C-alpha cells in the first residue's frame, strides 16, 4: 500500500518551514482507496515568492486547522504504507520536522518518483514534475497546489509501476533508514547545528575528525550529508559519533580554515586539496613602445606574475573582465588577434592605446589599477567582512602580499594600529594556495571593505 502525497510550505530557512497545504492519496497500486486534503495554518508568515507560486496567502490560512489538529489523521492514512512523492526527501523531511515539534517520531519507508523516473524514463528531457507529466501526456490541474501535484504524482507513479516489468527496481529505490531517513540521534545532531556560515567537523568513535567542510548553512549541509545515498556517505554516517562546528561569519574565513585544517587533519572521508591549486597567471611585460601588455601563461613560464588561477580558461575570463572594467586594449592584451586594429577600433570604441593615441604613462596607470584590484601581490591590507554576531567584524590580515592570519574585532574598536591589530589575529600559513583562495574569492565576491595598512 502506498501513500502518495504532496506538501506546500511557507518557504524560509531550512528546517524552519511550515506546512500550508497537504494532500495524501492512499493508493493500492491500482486505485485510490482513501484521501486526505487540507490547508494547514503554519502559524508563521508565508514568503512572498511562495504566495506568487502557489496562490496560497496568509488570509486563506487563518481559519485552517493547525498541524497538531490533523496529525492523527496523517498518521492513520499513512499507517503501514510506503510514502511516495516527487522529491520525497523534501516532503518526508518536512513531515518529520512537524511531527518532531509535537514530540512524535514519525517514520515511514519512502519512494521518490524523481529517482524512479531517472531509472525507468532515462531519455526524459526534464524530471521536474510539471515538465515530466506533460511530456508523458498526463493531465495536470492546479499546478503547485498540493492536491493537483499529488494527483499528477499518482498518475505518474501508476505509469512507472507498469513500466517496472521485472518488479525489481522498486525494491532498490525504497529507501531504508540508512538511505535518507535519519535516526533520532542524527536528527538531534542536525537540529543542534546553526543555519550560519562556518566550518563543521564530523568526529568518529575515537574522537578523531573523519570529515570537515565549510558551509554558508551548516545545518543544511550536515542534513544533506546524512541523507545522501552513496556508499561513501552511508559509511560516513555509520562512523559518525559527534558533529561540532565553528561559526566564522565570513565565507572567506571559512574557506581558509577549511583548506588549512584539511591539510592538518587529513580526514579519511575528505578529498585532500592538491599540492598546488593554481596553474596559470596573468603575465605582465612592457612592449617596445612602453605600453604594458597582459597575457595568460602557465605559472612556470612567467617571470612577472599577477594573480593565481586554476586553469587557462579561468585566467582568460578574468582578463576579459578587467579589460572591459578598466577599458584596456584588446590588441595589447592578446584578446583581439587582428593584425592591425582590433574590432573596438573599427567600432570607434578603442581607447587609442593600440594605435598610440594615448600616452603609455596614462594607459599603464589603468593596467596597474586593474591588476591591483584583484591581486594580493606586494600588498599590506586588511580585508574586513561580516563577523560571527552583531557588533563584530572579521578581519583577514595580508602583509607583503601574503596571508598572516585571521581574527575578529568589535565594531567600536579602532584597528588602525597594526600592533594592536596583530594581537587580535590568529596566525595562518601564508602559502600561495591561501593566496589563490583569497584572490578567487575577491574575483567572485566582495568583502565589506579593504583597508590599506601603513607598515
Amino acid at each position: 500500500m502506498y501513500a502518495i502525497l504532496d506538501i506546500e510550505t511557507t518557504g524560509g530557512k531550512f528546517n524552519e518551514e511550515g506546512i500550508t497545504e497537504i494532500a495524501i492519496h492512499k493508493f493500492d497500486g491500482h486505485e485510490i482507496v482513501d484521501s486526505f486534503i487540507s490547508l494547514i495554518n503554519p502559524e508563521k508568515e508565508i514568503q512572498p515568492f511562495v504566495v506568487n507560486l502557489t496562490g496560497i496567502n496568509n488570509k486563506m490560512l487563518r481559519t485552517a486547522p493547525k498541524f497538531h489538529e490533523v496529525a492523527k489523521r496523517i498518521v492513520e492514512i499513512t499507517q503501514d504504507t510506503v510514502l511516495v512523492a516527487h522529491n520525497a526527501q523534501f516532503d518526508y523531511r518536512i513531515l518529520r520536522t512537524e511531527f518532531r515539534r509535537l514530540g512524535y517520531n514519525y517514520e515511514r519507508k519512502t519512494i521518490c518518483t524523481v529517482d524512479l523516473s531517472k531509472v525507468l524514463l532515462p531519455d526524459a528531457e526534464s524530471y521536474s514534475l510539471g515538465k515530466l507529466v506533460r511530456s508523458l501526456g498526463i493531465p495536470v490541474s492546479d499546478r503547485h497546489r498540493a492536491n493537483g501535484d499529488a494527483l499528477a504524482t499518482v498518475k505518474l507513479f501508476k505509469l512507472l509501476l507498469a513500466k517496472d516489468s521485472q518488479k525489481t527496481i522498486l525494491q532498490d529505490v525504497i529507501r531504508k533508514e540508512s538511505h535518507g531517513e535519519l535516526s533520532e540521534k542524527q536528527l538531534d545532531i542536525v537540529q543542534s547545528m546553526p543555519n550560519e556560515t562556518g566550518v563543521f567537523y564530523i568526529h568518529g568513535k575515537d574522537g578523531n575528525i573523519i570529515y570537515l567542510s565549510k558551509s554558508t548553512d551548516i545545518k543544511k549541509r550536515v542534513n544533506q550529508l546524512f541523507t545522501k545515498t552513496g556508499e561513501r556517505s552511508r559509511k560516513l554516517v555509520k562512523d559518525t559519533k559527534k558533529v561540532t562546528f565553528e561559526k566564522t561569519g565570513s565565507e572567506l574565513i571559512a574557506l581558509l580554515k577549511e583548506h588549512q585544517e584539511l591539510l592538518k587533519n587529513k580526514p579519511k572521508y575528505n578529498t585532500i586539496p592538491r599540492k598546488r591549486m593554481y596553474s596559470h597567471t596573468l603575465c605582465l611585460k612592457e612592449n617596445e613602445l612602453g605600453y604594458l601588455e597582459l597575457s595568460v601563461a602557465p605559472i612556470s613560464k612567467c617571470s612577472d606574475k599577477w594573480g593565481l588561477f586554476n586553469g587557462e580558461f579561468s585566467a582568460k575570463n578574468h582578463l576579459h573582465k578587467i579589460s572591459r572594467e578598466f577599458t584596456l586594449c584588446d590588441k595589447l592584451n592578446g584578446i583581439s588577434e587582428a593584425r592591425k586594429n582590433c574590432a573596438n577600433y573599427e567600432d570607434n570604441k578603442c581607447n587609442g592605446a593600440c594605435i598610440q593615441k594615448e600616452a603609455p604613462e596614462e594607459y599603464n596607470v589603468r593596467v596597474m589599477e586593474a591588476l591591483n584590484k584583484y591581486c594580493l601581490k606586494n600588498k599590506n591590507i586588511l580585508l574586513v567582512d561580516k563577523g560571527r554576531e552583531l557588533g563584530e567584524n572579521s578581519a583577514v590580515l595580508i602583509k607583503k602580499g601574503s596571508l598572516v592570519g585571521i581574527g575578529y574585532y568589535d565594531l567600536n574598536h579602532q584597528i588602525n594600529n597594526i600592533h594592536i591589530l596583530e594581537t587580535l589575529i590568529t596566525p595562518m600559513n601564508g602559502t600561495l594556495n591561501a593566496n589563490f583562495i583569497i584572490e578567487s574569492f575577491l574575483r567572485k565576491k566582495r568583502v565589506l571593505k579593504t583597508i590599506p595598512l601603513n607598515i
Side-chain angles (χ1 to χ4, degrees), residues 14-16 97 100-101 182 184-195 219 222-223:
F14 184 83
N15 270 0
E16 293 183 12
T97 300
R100 189 174 171 80
R101 289 168 184 159
L182 300 185
E184 278 294 293
K185 177 185 173 182
Q186 291 158 359
L187 276 168
D188 286 335
I189 289 174
V190 171
Q191 285 299 110
S192 68
M193 297 294 110
N195 293 107
K219 179 181 285 187
V222 172
N223 189 79

Side-chain angles (χ1 to χ4, degrees), residues 190-392:
V190 171
Q191 285 299 110
S192 68
M193 297 294 110
N195 293 107
E196 296 183 41
T197 299
V199 181
F200 65 89
Y201 310 86
I202 297 181
H203 303 264
K205 294 175 177 59
D206 56 2
N208 289 343
I209 296 171
I210 58 175
Y211 183 87
L212 69 87
S213 180
K214 75 93 186 172
S215 178
T216 55
D217 188 332
I218 294 173
K219 179 181 285 187
K220 183 176 181 180
R221 180 71 182 116
V222 172
N223 189 79
Q224 287 171 341
L225 278 174
F226 282 177
T227 53
K228 276 189 174 180
T229 58
E231 183 64 28
R232 188 177 178 84
S233 296
R234 291 198 295 273
K235 287 181 179 178
L236 171 61
V237 170
K238 186 177 179 181
D239 288 349
T240 298
K241 177 70 174 178
K242 185 180 180 181
V243 182
T244 60
F245 63 87
E246 182 178 341
K247 297 179 188 178
T248 62
S250 162
E251 186 180 358
L252 175 56
I253 289 182
L255 281 164
L256 291 169
K257 287 184 70 65
E258 176 192 51
H259 173 69
Q260 299 214 2
E261 290 175 1
L262 280 174
L263 294 176
K264 180 180 178 180
N265 294 286
K266 295 182 172 58
K268 65 183 286 189
Y269 288 103
N270 279 103
T271 300
I272 306 305
R274 300 190 306 273
K275 186 175 181 180
R276 194 172 77 179
M277 301 170 71
Y278 51 89
S279 59
H280 285 70
T281 187
L282 293 186
C283 206
L284 181 67
K285 68 176 182 178
E286 185 178 305
N287 69 14
E288 66 278 5
L289 296 173
Y291 292 94
L292 292 177
E293 296 180 341
L294 293 170
S295 61
V296 173
I299 287 288
S300 59
K301 295 184 178 180
C302 179
S303 57
D304 194 4
K305 306 173 183 65
W306 287 84
L308 302 171
F309 302 85
N310 63 355
E312 182 180 10
F313 181 77
S314 175
K316 283 185 175 179
N317 269 353
H318 184 66
L319 181 55
H320 277 269
K321 175 184 174 181
I322 62 173
S323 291
R324 297 293 169 268
E325 186 178 349
F326 289 88
T327 323
L328 304 184
C329 178
D330 287 355
K331 185 79 172 89
L332 286 176
N333 291 335
I335 294 173
S336 170
E337 297 180 0
R339 290 187 179 181
K340 292 185 178 180
N341 299 323
C342 67
N344 286 338
Y345 173 74
E346 301 297 337
D347 295 340
N348 202 30
K349 295 178 181 177
C350 184
N351 60 45
C354 60
I355 51 172
Q356 295 85 52
K357 285 186 177 180
E358 182 181 21
E361 295 80 10
E362 297 174 17
Y363 177 77
N364 292 348
V365 167
R366 290 204 309 281
V367 175
M368 296 312 300
E369 286 176 350
L371 291 175
N372 279 309
K373 181 173 181 179
Y374 299 102
C375 182
L376 299 182
K377 188 172 183 176
N378 303 323
K379 282 186 175 178
N380 297 307
I381 56 172
L382 191 71
L383 302 175
V384 177
D385 208 355
K386 291 180 289 187
R388 298 161 296 187
E389 55 194 33
L390 288 175
E392 181 182 74

Side-chain angles (χ1 to χ4, degrees), residues 9-10 16-21 39-46 57-58 61-69 98 101-102:
T9 70
T10 58
E16 293 183 12
E17 312 99 323
I19 296 176
T20 58
E21 188 176 36
L39 290 170
I40 306 286
N41 182 348
E43 301 181 81
K44 60 179 66 179
E45 294 295 304
I46 307 174
N57 57 48
N58 294 305
L61 303 179
R62 285 175 190 163
T63 58
K66 296 171 183 175
F67 184 80
H68 70 86
E69 297 177 272
E98 289 284 8
R101 289 168 184 159
L102 300 179

Side-chain angles (χ1 to χ4, degrees), residues 409-423:
Y409 66 93
D410 190 281
L411 291 180
N412 296 320
H413 187 72
Q414 296 298 315
I415 56 167
N416 50 9
N417 186 311
I418 185 64
H419 300 296
I420 295 175
L421 176 61
E422 286 178 334
T423 65

Side-chain angles (χ1 to χ4, degrees), residues 24-190:
I24 304 174
H25 296 288
K26 198 168 184 178
F27 182 67
D28 65 3
H30 306 282
E31 61 184 2
I32 294 171
V33 297
D34 193 6
S35 295
F36 172 68
I37 304 157
S38 180
L39 290 170
I40 306 286
N41 182 348
E43 301 181 81
K44 60 179 66 179
E45 294 295 304
I46 307 174
Q47 298 289 310
F49 80 92
V50 177
V51 176
N52 292 333
L53 181 68
T54 65
I56 301 172
N57 57 48
N58 294 305
K59 187 177 179 181
M60 292 169 60
L61 303 179
R62 285 175 190 163
T63 58
K66 296 171 183 175
F67 184 80
H68 70 86
E69 297 177 272
V70 299
K72 184 180 178 182
R73 175 69 172 128
I74 293 171
V75 171
E76 290 173 346
I77 195 172
T78 61
Q79 191 71 43
D80 299 322
T81 69
V82 177
L83 295 185
V84 179
H86 207 70
N87 188 12
Q89 184 173 312
F90 172 80
D91 295 80
Y92 185 58
R93 174 178 67 80
I94 296 294
L95 264 185
R96 292 201 76 189
T97 300
E98 289 284 8
F99 275 109
R100 189 174 171 80
R101 289 168 184 159
L102 300 179
Y104 179 80
N105 183 32
Y106 181 83
E107 289 188 357
R108 299 288 186 271
K109 293 291 192 297
T110 64
I111 291 176
C112 180
T113 51
V114 176
D115 294 346
L116 199 54
S117 297
K118 287 178 180 179
V119 176
L120 294 169
L121 304 169
D123 299 323
E125 291 185 7
S126 171
Y127 293 99
S128 71
L129 182 62
K131 290 180 180 179
L132 183 60
V133 295
R134 279 196 296 272
S135 71
L136 296 170
I138 295 173
V140 57
S141 59
D142 290 332
R143 184 77 178 94
H144 298 301
R145 289 296 298 267
N147 193 43
D149 286 356
L151 287 173
T153 305
V154 170
K155 294 168 185 174
L156 171 63
F157 185 58
K158 195 171 183 178
L159 181 148
L160 294 170
L161 284 175
K163 280 186 169 290
D164 185 21
S165 56
Q166 295 183 354
K167 306 303 177 191
T168 57
I169 296 176
L170 282 178
Q171 297 172 31
D172 297 331
V173 176
I174 293 177
R175 296 181 176 181
K176 298 178 182 177
E177 189 156 308
S178 62
H179 287 65
E181 299 177 14
L182 300 185
S183 68
E184 278 294 293
K185 177 185 173 182
Q186 291 158 359
L187 276 168
D188 286 335
I189 289 174
V190 171

